[in-house]
Structure formats: C-alpha cells, structure tokens
Amino acid sequence: ERTLKVSIQVSTKHPVGANVVYFKEKVEEISNKQIKVEVYDSAQLYKGSEIPQAVASGAIDMGLVLIDEYAGTIPATGIFSVAFMFPSYEVLAKAAAPESPIRQQIDEMIRKTGTRVVWWQDYGPVQLLSKKEPLRTPADMKGKKVRVLGKPSGDFINAVGGIPVKIGGSEQFIAYQRGTVDIGMTGTTAIQSRKLYEVMDYVTITNHAQTEFLIVMNDKLWDSLSDQEKEWITTAARDAEQTIRSATKDENLQSEEFIRSQTKMQVVNLTPEEIKAWQDAAAPAVDAFIQEAGEDGKRLVEEVRKLY
C-alpha cells in the first residue's frame, strides 16, 4: 500500500481541484486501494509558486502548478501564455495532446528540474477584468497596473503599455478589492468560483491566452514505483485529463453566462476589428518570447503555427 500526498492551491470544488479528486477516486478504484491519495487543498501546505521546489525536493509527493511557474527558469514553457498564440480551442487541444511534439518537448524540459508531469489540466482561455469602465482597445491599458500570471503575460502587458504585476490565483480577490492592480486577468470559471464579480465591474472576452495547469510528481519517487503502480497512475491520469479537457469549453461558456445573467458584472464582447487591434498590439510579445526562450521557443512557435 502506498499513500501519495498532493498539494493544490484551489478548493476541491474548483474545476481543477475537482479533477484532482477525480484522479484520486480513479486510482484508488483501479488499484483496489493499493495506492491512496491524500489531497491538501486551498494552499494549506504550499502556494502555487512554491510547488515546483516542494515537489522537486521531495517535501511533497505531487502538486498542482500553473505551467507559467516554470517559465522563469525554462522560458519555453510559457508558450501557452503568449498573447494570441492559440486562436481556437482546436489548436490548443492539438498542441496539448499527449502525443503532441510541443507537449512532449515541454514535459522533457520540466523533468530536468526533478519534477515529472503526470497529467495536464486545461483550464480555458484568459480574459481581462476592469473597474468603472470597460476595456475595449489596447490604449485602455496604458499606464495601468495589470495582474499577470508570469513572464509571457507580462510581455503582453508591456507590449500594450501596461505595468505587469505578478499575483497568485488565490490572492486575486484581495488584490482587486484593495486596488493593488487596476486590471485583472483570469478565466471566467475563476471569476465565478472566486466571486471576483464582487470586486470588479467588467470582463472583456479577449481569449488572449490559454491556462494550462500541470500535476507534477517528484521524479525520483516516480522512478521508485513498480511497473504496476506506474500503469495505475498513468491510466487514472489520462482519464482525468480527457475528462477535464472535454468539459472545459462548456464550463467556461456556462460561467460567462452566469456572470452575464446572475451578477452585476458586465460582459464585454469585442468585434473582430477590435480583436485584430489587440492582436496587432500584442505582436511584440511573440518576438519577446522567442528572444527569451531561444531555439527551444522558436521551435515551439513553429510547431504551434503548423496547427493553424
């Protein structure tokens, strides 16, 4: 019998947290409880930014981490946050599929840090939040402090004239309430689950980046597992991944409808011309990513563009 401890920074009601519980139930079922999973939720053990180090050091067996948390040390892993790199769910799904060369390259880079990717969790597109007045054009960002997830989203904000401020997912509500930043950045499901509609007035549907979470395991621990244990974990993980990816699009659209009909927050849908203006303004962020990530980044951008 083996017990795996998993640290997550969201509640188990959050779509990403619920997916970890799904994995727990699945792996316990197929292993006949020979593998047990303990889930420590709501950042009670570690914040998201602390997970890569905690898992690599063996302080915790497994953890939930936003892929951008690796972008500081491995710049190429930030490709999913490069502004307007993924024009549709279809392109994203192909890029993040287990057999995708893009994903395989990223998994291998992350493994060199001492953490092994067990499965990916698609959390959907990223939008912009504002108070008092809606965001419609890149000019509306000039001089404003904006919550970012990591360096690639920071490059986007720099490109449109804003000031990037890195704020963790669980710290958003307080940051928006206190005015630590002027503009928010997150997905519609987070607006609903974290009640961000209580502290922000508008959400502009830009779909400018994609949020991918990873469940990572200590690499030495993985190597110590028996072939049977690895098979159970891989089967449950693949099942959990397919479940969340197929549900994400609907959940994001349902949350958008909830915001529109059940809260005081207003949903701003941009015209194709307005989206084009954002894409043009954000173009330097792609160049910044390639410059920062070098050959690895250039190769990944080329691979993604083959999927268009």
Side-chain angles (χ1 to χ4, degrees):
E1 188 179 296
R2 185 188 291 275
T3 300
L4 298 173
K5 294 181 174 166
V6 189
S7 176
I8 66 175
Q9 61 273 30
V10 295
S11 85
T12 51
K13 291 191 174 72
H14 184 288
V16 168
N19 187 245
V20 175
V21 174
Y22 179 94
F23 164 80
K24 163 190 160 64
E25 291 169 351
K26 200 81 191 165
V27 81
E28 288 178 355
E29 179 197 335
I30 60 177
S31 71
N32 203 15
K33 293 265 176 90
Q34 287 186 58
I35 295 179
K36 288 183 180 168
V37 179
E38 291 176 3
V39 180
Y40 296 87
D41 69 337
S42 302
Q44 58 180 294
L45 293 185
Y46 299 101
K47 290 180 185 171
S49 57
E50 297 167 336
I51 292 292
Q53 182 55 39
V55 175
S57 69
I60 187 87
D61 301 325
M62 297 171 71
L64 168 70
V65 61
L66 183 66
I67 195 169
D68 284 32
E69 294 293 354
Y70 286 99
T73 48
I74 316 168
T77 60
I79 191 161
F80 289 90
S81 288
V82 175
F84 300 102
M85 177 58 62
F86 298 89
S88 68
Y89 274 103
E90 289 65 37
V91 170
L92 172 71
K94 286 180 191 165
E99 65 279 5
S100 153
I102 297 157
R103 165 156 168 186
Q104 288 173 356
Q105 192 176 330
I106 289 171
D107 282 356
E108 192 49 41
M109 290 174 189
I110 289 172
R111 203 169 69 78
K112 288 177 181 158
T113 69
T115 59
R116 175 182 288 268
V117 179
V118 185
W119 82 95
W120 288 41
Q121 295 176 315
D122 175 29
Y123 187 47
V126 182
Q127 322 300 351
L128 295 173
L129 290 64
S130 58
K131 279 183 186 172
K132 293 177 185 167
E133 47 195 40
L135 301 165
R136 293 210 81 101
T137 72
D140 296 334
M141 307 286 278
K142 286 246 176 339
K144 302 271 177 64
K145 287 184 286 187
V146 187
R147 182 253 170 158
V148 298
L149 294 76
K151 188 170 186 310
S153 50
D155 290 337
F156 165 47
I157 298 311
N158 283 327
V160 295
I163 302 154
V165 181
K166 192 174 176 219
I167 292 170
S170 57
E171 295 153 351
Q172 283 182 95
F173 190 96
I174 296 289
Y176 301 155
Q177 190 177 46
R178 291 180 179 167
T180 310
V181 290
D182 307 300
I183 293 167
M185 185 188 291
T186 195
T188 54
T189 52
I191 295 172
Q192 181 175 351
S193 67
R194 297 187 189 278
K195 299 187 175 175
L196 302 179
Y197 51 80
E198 292 180 2
V199 288
M200 293 300 243
D201 301 324
Y202 296 92
V203 54
T204 300
I205 306 297
T206 51
N207 295 328
H208 63 270
Q210 301 295 336
T211 318
E212 291 288 327
F213 282 92
L214 310 173
I215 300 292
V216 293
M217 177 185 276
N218 177 276
D219 199 41
K220 286 183 180 156
L221 172 61
W222 173 265
D223 286 341
S224 75
L225 299 176
S226 69
D227 288 346
Q228 178 66 80
E229 288 172 320
K230 287 176 183 172
E231 187 186 317
W232 285 329
I233 289 168
T234 302
T235 301
R238 191 62 55 88
D239 201 354
E241 177 166 333
Q242 287 169 346
T243 300
I244 195 168
R245 196 166 294 281
S246 61
T248 292
K249 184 175 182 181
D250 288 342
E251 283 177 357
N252 277 268
L253 293 172
Q254 282 163 15
S255 288
E256 185 180 326
E257 183 49 41
F258 168 84
I259 295 161
R260 184 182 281 110
S261 60
Q262 307 286 322
T263 79
K264 68 177 178 59
M265 191 180 227
Q266 293 185 43
V267 177
V268 180
N269 293 102
L270 301 174
T271 66
E273 293 74 28
E274 285 171 329
I275 288 283
K276 177 78 166 63
W278 282 94
Q279 289 171 329
D280 291 346
V286 180
D287 300 331
F289 170 75
I290 291 172
Q291 193 174 350
E292 176 88 6
E295 279 305 310
D296 285 335
K298 186 164 175 266
R299 194 158 61 245
L300 286 175
V301 168
E302 286 165 0
E303 288 288 347
V304 172
R305 285 180 171 158
K306 284 182 197 169
L307 303 174
Y308 288 9

